[in-house]
Amino acid sequence: HEVFLRVLEFIYTDTVVDVSLDLGIHLLVASEHFLLDRLKALCEDVIRREITAENVISILITSHQYTATGLKDTALDFILENLGDNKINIGLDELKSEPDLLVEIIRLQTLQLEVFINANRDGIEAEGGGADGGPGMQSLPLDTSVLDPNQQLRRQPNDLFGPAAEWRGE
C-alpha cells in the first residue's frame, strides 16, 4: 500500500522523500514494472548509499533481476573490494539462485588478478629483466605477497584497477 502511494506521489510531484532502504528496494521493483526511469534512478541512489556487507548480495540480486545496471556495478565493486569479509563470503551462498552473478564475480576477480600480475611483471621487465626470464627476472622477483587475497588486492581494487564496469569493457 505504501509503495503504491509513493509511486503516485512520484507521478504527481516528480520526487519522493524519506525513502528507507527497504522502501527503496520495493520502489525500484515498482519503477521497473511501471517503466518510471527517473524513479528507478532515485531509488538506485538511495540504495547505493545504504550498501553494507550484510545486504550487498541481496542488493546485487535485486539489481540484476530488475535491470538496475548502475546499482549492480556498485554492488559488484563493493563485493570485490570486500571479498575477504566473512559476511560477504557467507552471503555468496545466496547466489546459487543466480549463478550468472557468481560467474561474473569470479571473472572480475580473475581479471583483476591477471591485470595486476601483468602490471607487476611489466614493471619488472621495465627495470631490465627480459620476458625470457633473463637476469632481470632473477634480480627482481615477482612480489607474490601482493597476490595474497587478504592483503592489498582486496583492500584497494578500485585504486589499482578501476570500477567493475571498466573490467567488462563498458
Side-chain angles (χ1 to χ4, degrees):
H1 183 259
E2 182 178 2
V3 174
F4 183 71
L5 291 176
R6 293 301 188 98
V7 169
L8 285 177
E9 173 188 345
F10 173 78
I11 289 171
Y12 284 104
T13 66
D14 198 41
T15 60
V16 287
V17 293
D18 299 326
V19 178
S20 66
L21 174 65
D22 189 47
L23 180 59
I25 290 172
H26 291 292
L27 282 171
L28 177 79
V29 172
S31 68
E32 175 69 13
H33 181 73
F34 295 117
L35 304 174
L36 299 169
D37 292 335
R38 179 163 154 62
L39 177 58
K40 186 175 182 179
L42 292 171
C43 293
E44 285 185 51
D45 189 49
V46 167
I47 296 166
R48 186 177 291 116
R49 287 185 262 134
E50 300 292 328
I51 290 179
T52 65
E54 291 85 11
N55 65 20
V56 68
I57 300 295
S58 60
I59 289 172
L60 177 64
I61 291 169
T62 301
S63 64
H64 177 70
Q65 290 173 338
Y66 296 98
T67 23
T69 55
L71 183 58
K72 179 181 172 184
D73 288 342
T74 301
L76 283 168
D77 286 342
F78 187 93
I79 290 168
L80 292 172
E81 289 172 6
N82 299 287
L83 205 50
D85 191 312
N86 194 38
K87 293 172 187 166
I88 290 178
N89 284 318
I90 291 170
L92 290 174
D93 284 339
E94 293 177 42
L95 292 179
K96 290 177 184 176
S97 64
E98 295 287 344
D100 292 344
L101 291 175
L102 192 54
V103 169
E104 190 168 356
I105 290 169
I106 293 168
R107 283 185 182 150
L108 289 171
Q109 182 69 14
T110 302
L111 186 57
Q112 285 182 346
L113 284 170
E114 288 174 1
V115 168
F116 185 74
I117 290 169
N118 289 336
N120 198 359
R121 187 175 302 130
D122 291 344
I124 291 169
E125 291 172 6
E127 292 289 329
D132 60 354
M137 290 294 275
Q138 292 172 355
S139 63
L140 293 170
L142 181 64
D143 183 4
T144 56
S145 67
V146 295
L147 301 180
D148 181 355
N150 293 317
Q151 290 185 359
Q152 285 180 334
L153 185 59
R154 213 176 268 153
R155 278 186 279 163
Q156 301 173 337
N158 280 341
D159 293 342
L160 297 171
F161 308 111
E166 292 177 15
W167 296 111
R168 289 190 296 275
E170 296 174 357

